[in-house]
Amino acid sequence: MASYNLKINGKAVAVTVDDDTPLLWVLRDELNLVGTKFGCGIAQCGACTVHLDGTAVRSCSIPMASLEGANITTIEGLSDDKLHPVQEAWKELDVPQCGYCQAGQIMTATSFLKQNPNPNSEQIRTAMNGNLCRCASYNRIEKAVALAAKKMS
Amino acid sequence: MENQNKFTLSRRNFIRTSALASGGLLIGFNFLTSCGETAAPPVDISKLDFKDFNAFIKIAENGYVTIFSPNPEIGQGVKTSMPMIIAEELDVPWDHVSVEQGALDTTNFSRQVAGGSQSIRFGWDALRQTGATAKQMLINAAAAKWGVEASTCSASNGIIKNSNGDELGYGDVVNEAAHLEIPEDVALKTTKDYKIIGKDAINVDIDAIITGKPLFGLDYVAENMSYVSVIRPPAFGQKINTFDDTAAKAVNGVSEVVQFGDKIAVLASNTWAAMKGKKTLKVQWTNDSNLENTADHDAELFKILDGKNLEIRREDGNVKQAFAEADKVLERTYESPFLPHNCMEPMNFYANVTADKVHLVGPIQTPAGTARRIADLINRSEEDIHLEMTRMGGGFGRRLYGDFALEAAEISNLTKQPVKVIFSREDDMAAGIYRPAIKYRIAASIKDGNVTGYHLKEAAINSNMYGLIPHFFPAGAIKNYKVESGNYQSNITTGAWRAPYTNFLAFAEQSFFDELAELLETDPIQLRLDLLKNVKDGEDPNIQYSAKRMTDTINLVAKKSNWGNTKDGIYQGFAAYYSHNTHVAEVVDITLKNGLPLVEKVTVAVDCGIVVNPTGAKNQVEGGVIDGIGHAMYGDFSFENGQPQHVNFNTYRLIRMKETPIIETYFVDNNLSPTGLGEPGLPPAGGALANAIKAATGQLLTKQPFVKSIQKYEANLKV
Ligand code: FES
Ligand code: FES
C-alpha cells in the first residue's frame, strides 16, 4: 500500500492503494468515478480511456505506481456545466446504442481533436480504431468526430 | 396488421387512474394482461409498484408528463420509442415528456423480457390506446368544467379547446380528470396526423450516457459491499479436485475465499484485489466428463448431415422425386463456429441475501425467471426476492441467462454479506452461453431452368432452429421443399445469440441463392423476385413473411444501391431476409485493395412497418448490419480439450472502425404496425458480403469466419 497524490478533474485527490492497482479501479472503486468503464483490462477495447496530462490513455493498464502527481481527466470532468463540443456532437447525432463504450469513445475523440483539429475521415477512422463498440455505432462515431471538429473550429 | 383503430382489450381492464396526493393524475396500465380487480395506482409517486402495471404515466399540474417504465434498456432504444407512442396519442409536445426507469422491486412483473425485437410489436396497440384514453379523460374533465359536451372539445399539444374558443392546459384539469370514469371507445389518430411518431427523437438517456453518469450494473455500489471475482472450471467438463487459497487470502484487500459448487469466489474490498486474489488461487481440476474439441464437433455435425436420423421440420411436395428428375443439382455445406456474445459490459450482478429479503440489482433481460430460479436455489419464497434492473451494456441474448445473478445470490447467501460479482473479460468469454456451432447442407434441383426442389439440413450443437424458422423463405416459393434438423449434445453451454439461428442460416441460404442464380444464368435479385411470385400471402398460416412486402423491400434496395449500374471497381452482393417480423434487403459494395476485399458500403432497405423513431431505428439497423459483417468476417471461436481458445480481445477479433462500411438505410414507406429492429438487420449481412466477395474475386465462401478462407485464398494466389 502506498499513498498517491493526483489531480483528478482539477481537484487534488489522495488515495492509498496497492501500487500495482490500475488507475481504472482507483477511479471506479475508490473515487466512485464510474463513468470510466471496464471492458477488457488489457488495453484492447478503449472503454477505460481517460486523459493523462491531456492525452488519451487506457486506465486499465496504468498502475498507480507510475502516477504520482499525475493530472487525470475523466468523462465526469470533461466539461464543467455545459457539454463539451464533442459531447454536443454525440448528442446531436444520437450516437449511443447501449452506451457502455461511449465515455471511452468521447475521451479518445477529445484528445485526438486536440492534436488534430481538422481531421479527414481516414484520420478519424485511424484515431478511433482502438475503441471497440460492440453495438457497432461506428458510423455515427465517425460522423460525430467530424461534426465536433467543425464545432470547435 | 393494418394500422386500424381496432383493439380488443377493454380499456376498463387494463387502465387504472389515481389522483396523486401531491397533485396531478397518475395512470397505471398493463398491456399484456388485464389489471386485477383491486389494482389501483398509488397516490404517492414514490410508491410506484409494478406488480399490477407495466408502466405509469404521471401528468403534473404544470402539464408536464413523466412516463415511468421498468422496461430495461439494452440498447434497442425502446425506452425512447415506447414513450413516443404514448405521447403521440396523448398529444403533448415531446419536450414536455420525460421518461424514468421505474425501479422494479417485485417478483410479479408481468412482461419484462427485453429480447426478440418484440417490445414495439407487442406494445403498439396498447400504448396508443393508453395515450388516447388519457387524452379523452382530460377532455372530459375540461368539458365538465366548462359545462359543454365533450364532443365539442378537442385537444392538441397539451391544450384543450372548446367551440367557444376557451382553452385549458392539461395541467389545469388533471385533478378533476383523476376522478372520472375511464372512457371506452376512444378514437386513435391516423398516421397522417402524427406529430411525434416518425420524427427523430434523441435517446432519452443521452445526457447521462455522454457525461458518464452511473447507469449500468457495473456502476452499482452499495454500502459494505464486497467485490467478487469467481474462478470457474477452465474447461467445460472439469470440476474442482482440491484448491489452495493461502496465497489468495494473503492478497491485500481479500477478505474471504469460498467454494460454491465447482466454483470458488474471492471476496475483496475492491475489484482489483478480487481479481488478483483469483489469479493466485491454486486449483487442481479433474475431468468430470468429456473435454470436447472443435474438430470432434465438426466430425459429429458432419455425421448428422450424412445420416438418416434427422427430424423433418417442414415438408412440401416430393423432394426426392424432384431431385431424381432434375437436370442439374446444386449442393453446398456451410459451416459456422461457436460465438461468444461479448457484451461490452461484462456480466455482473449485485446480491444481498438477508433474513428478511433478497435484494438483487443488475443488468438482466429476464428478471422474472431469474428471480424464480434464485428463490429455488437459495430456498426462499419468491415474495422475498426484490430485483432491480439497471441499464445494460449490450445484451445480444447473453443477459437472457441469469447464471451471473444466481452466482451472486449464492455467494451472498453463503457469506452473509452484500456482494457484487464481476466477470473479467476472460471470465465473460470463457464462461459463455455461446451461439452454437452449426452446419447447413443445402441442395436444390433444377429442371427446365426452374428451381423444382429444395432440401435443407441443419446440424447444430445442443439445439435446433425453433418456432417458424423452417417456414421462412423459400418455404412456399418452391414446390418440393424439405427442412430437417438434428443436433449433437455437448457439455458446452449454448443459447440465444442476436437473431438466433437466422444469424447464420440467412448467410447459408442467401449465398446458396447466388450460386443458384449463376447456374440459372439469371440475375440474383431477379431469381428472388421470380421465386416470390410463387407465394400467395396469407395462404399458409405458418408462412409469415409477405411476398409483397419482401418484393417491395428488394425493389427498394435495388434502386437505392444502383444494383447492376455501379462504377468500375465496385462489386456488389445481395441478400434479403425476413426475421422477427421485419423484411430486410441488403446490397454490399466492395472494392479490392491489393487483392483483398474492402467493404465500402451497405445499402439497406427495411420494412418494419411504421418507423416510430427514425434516428433510433437507423441506429439499430446500422449496428445490426455491421455486427453481421463483423462476425461473418472475423468471429472465430473454437475449443480444445473443453477450453475456449480465445478469452480476450487481443486474439478474439471484433470488427473495428477501420473495417466498418458506411451503412445507408432506407425504410419502406407504409402504414402497417411497427415491428422490431434489434435483430433483423443482422442476418442478411453475411450473405450479401459473401456474394460481393464472390463477385469480386470468384472465391466462394462457405465457412465463417471468412477471414480465414480469404487468407488461404490469398496465400494460394501468391504461390
Ligand atoms: S478496459 Fe482498458 S482498454 Fe479495455
Ligand atoms: S454503444 Fe454499446 S458498446 Fe458502444
Side-chain angles (χ1 to χ4, degrees), chain A residues 28-29 37 44 87 125 139, chain B residues 218-219 271 656 660 663:
Chain A
R28 291 188 58 88
D29 294 353
K37 300 301 189 218
Q44 292 289 320
Q87 290 167 316
R125 289 177 147 243
N139 273 204
Chain B
L218 205 73
D219 304 340
T271 314
R656 290 178 182 268
T660 298
I663 313 296

Side-chain angles (χ1 to χ4, degrees), chain B residues 556-574:
Chain B
L556 181 63
V557 89
K559 186 166 144 222
K560 296 293 184 186
S561 66
N562 276 322
W563 177 256
N565 294 309
T566 50
K567 284 192 294 202
D568 280 355
I570 295 182
Y571 302 91
Q572 294 189 310
F574 166 84

Side-chain angles (χ1 to χ4, degrees), chain B residues 35-107:
Chain B
C35 303
E37 282 292 312
T38 56
V43 296
D44 178 350
I45 197 72
S46 68
K47 299 242 154 52
L48 294 185
D49 177 349
F50 294 89
K51 199 178 193 143
D52 293 299
F53 304 102
N54 301 114
F56 292 97
I57 307 169
K58 178 186 128 182
I59 308 175
E61 287 170 326
N62 62 5
Y64 277 67
V65 176
T66 313
I67 296 169
F68 301 86
S69 158
N71 258 332
E73 176 64 85
I74 53 174
Q76 298 178 332
V78 292
K79 195 173 167 190
T80 307
S81 55
M82 296 181 72
M84 287 172 78
I85 300 170
I86 296 174
E88 179 67 65
E89 289 292 346
L90 181 56
D91 216 325
V92 282
W94 180 240
D95 56 7
H96 290 189
V97 179
S98 59
V99 181
E100 282 185 34
Q101 167 114 33
L104 185 84
D105 203 10
T106 170
T107 53

Side-chain angles (χ1 to χ4, degrees), chain A residues 24-25 37-49 57-61 130 132, chain B residues 344 425 648-649:
Chain A
L24 168 67
W25 298 114
K37 300 301 189 218
F38 167 59
C40 69
I42 57 164
Q44 292 289 320
C45 76
C48 65
T49 307
V57 294
R58 305 287 193 242
S59 66
C60 69
S61 301
L132 285 173
Chain B
M344 212 67 228
R425 177 57 56 192
N648 208 328
F649 299 133

Side-chain angles (χ1 to χ4, degrees), chain B residues 172-493:
Chain B
D172 300 329
V173 294
V174 281
N175 295 325
E176 292 83 351
H179 301 288
L180 296 181
E181 280 269 299
I182 293 164
E184 293 280 333
D185 302 323
V186 295
L188 294 177
K189 287 184 176 179
T190 53
T191 42
K192 69 174 189 348
D193 296 323
Y194 285 165
K195 291 179 283 197
I196 295 172
I197 291 173
K199 304 266 161 24
D200 288 342
I202 306 283
N203 186 331
V204 292
D205 283 332
I206 187 82
D207 287 321
I209 292 170
I210 61 179
T211 57
K213 295 282 175 314
L215 283 173
F216 298 93
L218 205 73
D219 304 340
Y220 182 83
V221 275
E223 236 175 289
N224 299 323
M225 150 188 127
S226 284
Y227 296 80
V228 182
S229 197
V230 174
I231 193 162
R232 303 171 186 82
F236 288 90
Q238 286 189 318
K239 62 176 193 177
I240 294 178
N241 185 8
T242 59
F243 71 97
D244 175 1
D245 60 6
T246 327
K249 279 181 168 156
V251 170
N252 190 20
V254 169
S255 56
E256 208 173 330
V257 176
V258 52
Q259 179 179 0
F260 64 109
D262 276 305
K263 304 170 188 174
I264 303 163
V266 178
L267 285 71
S269 56
N270 62 74
T271 314
W272 180 245
M275 287 179 170
K276 238 166 81 176
K278 177 175 123 179
K279 281 198 191 110
T280 55
L281 270 178
K282 290 191 189 61
V283 191
Q284 287 217 323
W285 306 96
T286 56
N287 297 349
D288 186 34
S289 59
N290 273 351
L291 303 188
E292 301 183 5
N293 293 305
T294 289
D296 303 336
H297 291 150
D298 285 346
E300 292 295 341
L301 294 180
F302 275 120
K303 236 190 264 169
I304 292 171
L305 290 180
D306 295 339
K308 299 235 169 319
N309 293 324
L310 292 117
E311 183 191 345
I312 297 174
R313 307 294 299 276
R314 181 181 169 109
E315 188 170 19
D316 300 328
N318 187 335
V319 168
K320 206 170 167 193
Q321 194 180 343
F323 279 85
E325 291 169 358
D327 302 331
K328 281 184 214 159
V329 168
L330 177 67
E331 185 187 275
R332 287 277 175 243
T333 304
Y334 300 88
E335 302 176 68
S336 70
F338 287 88
L339 285 181
H341 296 84
N342 274 324
C343 303
M344 212 67 228
E345 177 192 17
M347 297 307 112
N348 64 85
F349 228 81
Y350 168 84
N352 188 16
V353 180
T354 57
D356 44 293
K357 74 168 187 172
V358 178
H359 185 207
L360 301 157
V361 185
I364 180 89
Q365 287 173 273
T366 49
T370 301
R372 265 194 301 277
R373 286 171 62 203
I374 288 174
D376 274 357
L377 177 75
I378 59 172
N379 213 354
R380 294 288 293 253
S381 112
E382 271 183 55
E383 318 282 77
D384 291 350
I385 316 276
H386 299 262
L387 191 151
E388 289 176 42
M389 282 178 284
T390 60
R391 190 179 181 89
M392 303 180 220
F396 313 107
R398 180 62 181 90
R399 288 189 227 272
L400 293 167
Y401 308 98
D403 49 314
F404 39 89
L406 269 73
E407 286 185 356
E410 194 169 1
I411 296 163
S412 176
N413 191 41
L414 275 172
T415 62
K416 307 280 172 249
Q417 57 180 301
V419 300
K420 168 87 163 282
V421 169
I422 297 171
F423 282 45
S424 65
R425 177 57 56 192
E426 289 81 3
D427 297 337
D428 196 275
M429 236 187 272
I433 300 195
Y434 309 99
R435 174 185 88 169
I438 300 185
K439 298 190 196 305
Y440 288 106
R441 180 166 293 157
I442 312 178
S445 57
I446 294 171
K447 172 109 184 134
D448 304 329
N450 291 311
V451 186
T452 52
Y454 189 87
H455 187 184
L456 180 137
K457 294 182 192 174
E458 177 185 84
I461 300 292
N462 290 341
S463 56
N464 291 106
M465 58 166 88
Y466 61 94
L468 293 174
I469 296 174
H471 311 278
F472 285 8
F473 183 83
I478 300 169
K479 220 164 123 211
N480 305 295
Y481 173 94
K482 189 170 180 181
V483 173
E484 296 178 284
S485 66
N487 59 62
Y488 172 77
Q489 290 303 309
S490 161
N491 58 11
I492 294 166
T493 45

